[in-house]
Amino acid sequence: MEEQLRAQKQIGDTITNAQQVAIQQAVVRRAKKTAVYYQTIYRAIKARYQIPRYTELKQSQFEDCLRFIEVVDLSVPEAPTTTPPETERPQRYVVDADFLRTLQVFCYYHRYLFRKPMMQATRVMQALDVPDASKLWDAVDDLNLVKLERSLDDLGFSVKDLDCYKHWALTHAA
């Protein structure tokens, strides 16, 4: 039944699992095991095609996407950043220091302590063709931990002030 539904897909529908794998393989070839390049390529795809996940790419855009992966500029941000007009000010919220400390530790765990194991687990899942492997990678990648860490720094809750980070930094000094 599922095969029949797939066969009936129109050209405007999203890419198939096999096409998702082809995109993943093209990204792997282009990124050459550099995490920042993976992020840049996937974000560039999302920005170019105006989609929240590359898995939502339309069939008609698949071939163009494969060509785009080969030529995307890896040295510059994939989408221009815009600043809100002066009339629009970001909303401010009051939160407890405990909440900020929790975010501080969360950021440390995900950005430093468990980053490599999470990337390895995602690669293993992709190699085993686990259906939601790409969604897991998107969820982890979309966290924007760099921005979170900068915001915490601005609020006086620097991840680098944590004793566990200091120990991690000493043991991971290159």
PDB file of all heavy atoms in Angstrom, residues 133-146:
ATOM      1  N   ALA A 133      16.996   9.635  11.539  1.00  0.00           N
ATOM      2  CA  ALA A 133      18.350  10.113  11.813  1.00  0.00           C
ATOM      3  C   ALA A 133      18.525  11.563  11.365  1.00  0.00           C
ATOM      4  O   ALA A 133      19.098  12.382  12.086  1.00  0.00           O
ATOM      5  CB  ALA A 133      19.378   9.221  11.128  1.00  0.00           C
ATOM      6  N   SER A 134      18.027  11.898  10.202  1.00  0.00           N
ATOM      7  CA  SER A 134      18.185  13.268   9.713  1.00  0.00           C
ATOM      8  C   SER A 134      17.385  14.253  10.558  1.00  0.00           C
ATOM      9  O   SER A 134      17.813  15.381  10.778  1.00  0.00           O
ATOM     10  CB  SER A 134      17.765  13.364   8.246  1.00  0.00           C
ATOM     11  OG  SER A 134      16.409  13.006   8.101  1.00  0.00           O
ATOM     12  N   LYS A 135      16.243  13.823  11.059  1.00  0.00           N
ATOM     13  CA  LYS A 135      15.439  14.696  11.918  1.00  0.00           C
ATOM     14  C   LYS A 135      16.153  14.955  13.244  1.00  0.00           C
ATOM     15  O   LYS A 135      16.103  16.063  13.768  1.00  0.00           O
ATOM     16  CB  LYS A 135      14.063  14.087  12.165  1.00  0.00           C
ATOM     17  CG  LYS A 135      13.199  14.047  10.925  1.00  0.00           C
ATOM     18  CD  LYS A 135      11.879  13.374  11.201  1.00  0.00           C
ATOM     19  CE  LYS A 135      11.086  13.209   9.909  1.00  0.00           C
ATOM     20  NZ  LYS A 135       9.883  12.423  10.124  1.00  0.00           N
ATOM     21  N   LEU A 136      16.811  13.924  13.781  1.00  0.00           N
ATOM     22  CA  LEU A 136      17.578  14.106  15.007  1.00  0.00           C
ATOM     23  C   LEU A 136      18.699  15.106  14.776  1.00  0.00           C
ATOM     24  O   LEU A 136      18.916  16.005  15.573  1.00  0.00           O
ATOM     25  CB  LEU A 136      18.143  12.779  15.505  1.00  0.00           C
ATOM     26  CG  LEU A 136      19.078  12.880  16.719  1.00  0.00           C
ATOM     27  CD1 LEU A 136      18.320  13.401  17.930  1.00  0.00           C
ATOM     28  CD2 LEU A 136      19.713  11.540  17.020  1.00  0.00           C
ATOM     29  N   TRP A 137      19.412  14.959  13.656  1.00  0.00           N
ATOM     30  CA  TRP A 137      20.489  15.893  13.352  1.00  0.00           C
ATOM     31  C   TRP A 137      19.930  17.315  13.223  1.00  0.00           C
ATOM     32  O   TRP A 137      20.508  18.260  13.744  1.00  0.00           O
ATOM     33  CB  TRP A 137      21.228  15.502  12.082  1.00  0.00           C
ATOM     34  CG  TRP A 137      22.202  16.551  11.684  1.00  0.00           C
ATOM     35  CD1 TRP A 137      22.114  17.412  10.634  1.00  0.00           C
ATOM     36  CD2 TRP A 137      23.407  16.905  12.362  1.00  0.00           C
ATOM     37  NE1 TRP A 137      23.177  18.262  10.612  1.00  0.00           N
ATOM     38  CE2 TRP A 137      23.992  17.981  11.660  1.00  0.00           C
ATOM     39  CE3 TRP A 137      24.048  16.433  13.499  1.00  0.00           C
ATOM     40  CZ2 TRP A 137      25.177  18.572  12.056  1.00  0.00           C
ATOM     41  CZ3 TRP A 137      25.235  17.020  13.883  1.00  0.00           C
ATOM     42  CH2 TRP A 137      25.785  18.072  13.168  1.00  0.00           C
ATOM     43  N   ASP A 138      18.810  17.473  12.542  1.00  0.00           N
ATOM     44  CA  ASP A 138      18.197  18.799  12.401  1.00  0.00           C
ATOM     45  C   ASP A 138      17.846  19.388  13.767  1.00  0.00           C
ATOM     46  O   ASP A 138      18.073  20.572  14.022  1.00  0.00           O
ATOM     47  CB  ASP A 138      16.932  18.733  11.541  1.00  0.00           C
ATOM     48  CG  ASP A 138      17.237  18.523  10.067  1.00  0.00           C
ATOM     49  OD1 ASP A 138      18.395  18.737   9.659  1.00  0.00           O
ATOM     50  OD2 ASP A 138      16.312  18.132   9.336  1.00  0.00           O
ATOM     51  N   ALA A 139      17.296  18.556  14.655  1.00  0.00           N
ATOM     52  CA  ALA A 139      16.909  19.047  15.983  1.00  0.00           C
ATOM     53  C   ALA A 139      18.118  19.511  16.772  1.00  0.00           C
ATOM     54  O   ALA A 139      18.102  20.575  17.397  1.00  0.00           O
ATOM     55  CB  ALA A 139      16.166  17.948  16.750  1.00  0.00           C
ATOM     56  N   VAL A 140      19.196  18.746  16.733  1.00  0.00           N
ATOM     57  CA  VAL A 140      20.416  19.124  17.451  1.00  0.00           C
ATOM     58  C   VAL A 140      21.046  20.344  16.802  1.00  0.00           C
ATOM     59  O   VAL A 140      21.460  21.286  17.478  1.00  0.00           O
ATOM     60  CB  VAL A 140      21.407  17.939  17.490  1.00  0.00           C
ATOM     61  CG1 VAL A 140      22.754  18.378  18.032  1.00  0.00           C
ATOM     62  CG2 VAL A 140      20.841  16.798  18.322  1.00  0.00           C
ATOM     63  N   ASP A 141      21.087  20.354  15.486  1.00  0.00           N
ATOM     64  CA  ASP A 141      21.724  21.443  14.746  1.00  0.00           C
ATOM     65  C   ASP A 141      20.966  22.762  14.914  1.00  0.00           C
ATOM     66  O   ASP A 141      21.574  23.829  14.958  1.00  0.00           O
ATOM     67  CB  ASP A 141      21.804  21.073  13.266  1.00  0.00           C
ATOM     68  CG  ASP A 141      22.561  22.092  12.459  1.00  0.00           C
ATOM     69  OD1 ASP A 141      23.645  22.522  12.892  1.00  0.00           O
ATOM     70  OD2 ASP A 141      22.059  22.475  11.395  1.00  0.00           O
ATOM     71  N   ASP A 142      19.657  22.704  15.034  1.00  0.00           N
ATOM     72  CA  ASP A 142      18.841  23.918  15.136  1.00  0.00           C
ATOM     73  C   ASP A 142      18.851  24.555  16.529  1.00  0.00           C
ATOM     74  O   ASP A 142      18.242  25.602  16.722  1.00  0.00           O
ATOM     75  CB  ASP A 142      17.389  23.621  14.737  1.00  0.00           C
ATOM     76  CG  ASP A 142      17.233  23.470  13.233  1.00  0.00           C
ATOM     77  OD1 ASP A 142      18.149  23.879  12.503  1.00  0.00           O
ATOM     78  OD2 ASP A 142      16.204  22.939  12.807  1.00  0.00           O
ATOM     79  N   LEU A 143      19.532  23.947  17.482  1.00  0.00           N
ATOM     80  CA  LEU A 143      19.550  24.501  18.829  1.00  0.00           C
ATOM     81  C   LEU A 143      20.258  25.856  18.898  1.00  0.00           C
ATOM     82  O   LEU A 143      19.970  26.662  19.768  1.00  0.00           O
ATOM     83  CB  LEU A 143      20.234  23.534  19.801  1.00  0.00           C
ATOM     84  CG  LEU A 143      19.447  22.292  20.160  1.00  0.00           C
ATOM     85  CD1 LEU A 143      20.285  21.363  21.024  1.00  0.00           C
ATOM     86  CD2 LEU A 143      18.165  22.656  20.888  1.00  0.00           C
ATOM     87  N   ASN A 144      21.199  26.111  18.012  1.00  0.00           N
ATOM     88  CA  ASN A 144      21.981  27.356  17.986  1.00  0.00           C
ATOM     89  C   ASN A 144      22.609  27.626  19.351  1.00  0.00           C
ATOM     90  O   ASN A 144      22.350  28.642  19.996  1.00  0.00           O
ATOM     91  CB  ASN A 144      21.142  28.540  17.525  1.00  0.00           C
ATOM     92  CG  ASN A 144      22.038  29.658  17.014  1.00  0.00           C
ATOM     93  OD1 ASN A 144      23.251  29.664  17.240  1.00  0.00           O
ATOM     94  ND2 ASN A 144      21.456  30.606  16.327  1.00  0.00           N
ATOM     95  N   LEU A 145      23.455  26.706  19.770  1.00  0.00           N
ATOM     96  CA  LEU A 145      24.086  26.791  21.074  1.00  0.00           C
ATOM     97  C   LEU A 145      25.092  27.923  21.179  1.00  0.00           C
ATOM     98  O   LEU A 145      25.335  28.432  22.268  1.00  0.00           O
ATOM     99  CB  LEU A 145      24.739  25.454  21.410  1.00  0.00           C
ATOM    100  CG  LEU A 145      23.742  24.305  21.561  1.00  0.00           C
ATOM    101  CD1 LEU A 145      24.467  22.979  21.660  1.00  0.00           C
ATOM    102  CD2 LEU A 145      22.850  24.517  22.754  1.00  0.00           C
ATOM    103  N   VAL A 146      25.662  28.338  20.062  1.00  0.00           N
ATOM    104  CA  VAL A 146      26.601  29.462  20.085  1.00  0.00           C
ATOM    105  C   VAL A 146      25.867  30.721  20.532  1.00  0.00           C
ATOM    106  O   VAL A 146      26.343  31.470  21.399  1.00  0.00           O
ATOM    107  CB  VAL A 146      27.262  29.660  18.703  1.00  0.00           C
ATOM    108  CG1 VAL A 146      28.101  30.920  18.670  1.00  0.00           C
ATOM    109  CG2 VAL A 146      28.099  28.447  18.336  1.00  0.00           C
TER     110      VAL A 146
END
